[in-house]
Amino acid sequence: QERKKSNMMKTRWLRAFAPSRALRRIASHRITAQKKSFSSSSSAGKKSRRIIFCTDGSHHSDYALDWCMDKFFQEDDQIDIVHVYEPRKIPLDSFGIDTLSTGGDHVVEKEMVAEAESEAKALVAPREGKCSEKGFNATGVIKMGRPTHVVCEYAEETNADVVVMSSAGKTAMRRILLGSVSTYCVHNVDCPVLLIHAK
């Protein structure tokens, strides 16, 4: 009889709490499903950044690139490693007249531009490769023109999220005399500009 009573008590207890356990299971499944859907939607809605990293091949620029790979770049970023080279000045002949007014001048100019372009590609390639080795999506970009204007125009064309460049550590007098690409970009680029000061 005592066993029957205990069995009856167990049966009553199971009947009383079984529904609540089932409800708890359903609730837990719903919560898990909500978490999964939220995480998937948040990851799907994550926007990759378009980053323009400006390099001139100096150790200041290389330090900035190392710093970005360690502390700033993310695996979903589209990183453009940009180098802007200025066109070579046209040499003057013995009479002080530019060579554009003499025969064969265009060949000379094309050779100079081709040489400068080749040097620019050689400068960008190892930086691009360095980023790729670290698992970042990097593309080398070379442009000809004045760095101040080209960087601003390229940032606007690509709808960049941020422009990164190194602070070359010039003295105040040298900045006054020579100007600063970074200073110009800070005041004229539409997106944020990250300046990294090399140690």
Side-chain angles (χ1 to χ4, degrees):
Q1 291 180 351
E2 289 181 0
R3 284 183 181 178
K4 286 182 180 181
K5 286 182 180 180
S6 63
N7 288 335
M8 288 176 64
M9 290 292 291
K10 286 180 181 178
T11 303
R12 288 174 184 174
W13 185 87
L14 288 171
R15 286 176 180 174
F17 288 93
S20 61
R21 284 183 176 179
L23 288 172
R24 279 199 292 270
R25 283 200 197 97
I26 294 170
S28 65
H29 285 308
R30 285 180 179 174
I31 291 169
T32 306
Q34 286 176 355
K35 286 182 179 178
K36 287 182 179 177
S37 63
F38 176 76
S39 61
S40 62
S41 63
S42 61
S43 60
K46 185 179 179 181
K47 179 180 178 293
S48 61
R49 300 178 301 176
R50 185 68 177 267
I51 298 175
I52 295 177
F53 181 89
C54 303
T55 179
D56 59 1
S58 65
H59 73 276
H60 297 284
S61 180
D62 288 341
Y63 173 86
L65 183 60
D66 291 337
W67 185 91
C68 284
M69 289 191 293
D70 185 42
K71 294 180 168 57
F72 185 64
F73 291 161
Q74 299 174 4
E75 61 179 7
D76 293 329
D77 292 339
Q78 170 58 53
I79 304 161
D80 291 352
I81 309 296
V82 179
H83 174 68
V84 183
Y85 64 96
E86 296 189 67
R88 303 289 178 87
K89 294 185 181 298
I90 304 300
L92 301 178
D93 61 16
S94 57
F95 297 98
I97 302 172
D98 66 86
T99 55
L100 287 176
S101 60
T102 61
D105 52 299
H106 294 291
V107 176
V108 175
E109 184 185 11
K110 286 180 181 178
E111 288 178 354
M112 294 173 65
V113 171
E115 182 182 353
E117 184 177 349
S118 177
E119 292 175 358
K121 288 180 179 179
L123 185 149
V124 169
R127 277 86 185 173
E128 178 187 356
K130 196 173 184 179
C131 288
S132 299
E133 288 175 2
K134 294 285 186 179
F136 298 111
N137 184 20
T139 304
V141 178
I142 59 170
K143 295 281 186 178
M144 185 176 72
R146 294 184 62 184
T148 50
H149 293 82
V150 171
V151 171
C152 294
E153 291 172 0
Y154 187 71
E156 185 177 356
E157 289 172 6
T158 57
N159 196 24
D161 294 292
V162 60
V163 173
V164 183
M165 54 181 58
S166 64
S167 176
K170 295 177 182 176
T171 63
M173 181 56 69
R174 194 177 178 194
R175 276 196 295 268
I176 293 171
L177 295 175
L178 300 179
S180 169
V181 175
S182 58
T183 301
Y184 182 90
C185 290
V186 165
H187 290 92
N188 292 278
V189 174
D190 292 332
C191 65
V193 177
L194 174 62
L195 295 181
I196 301 172
H197 184 71
K199 293 181 180 179

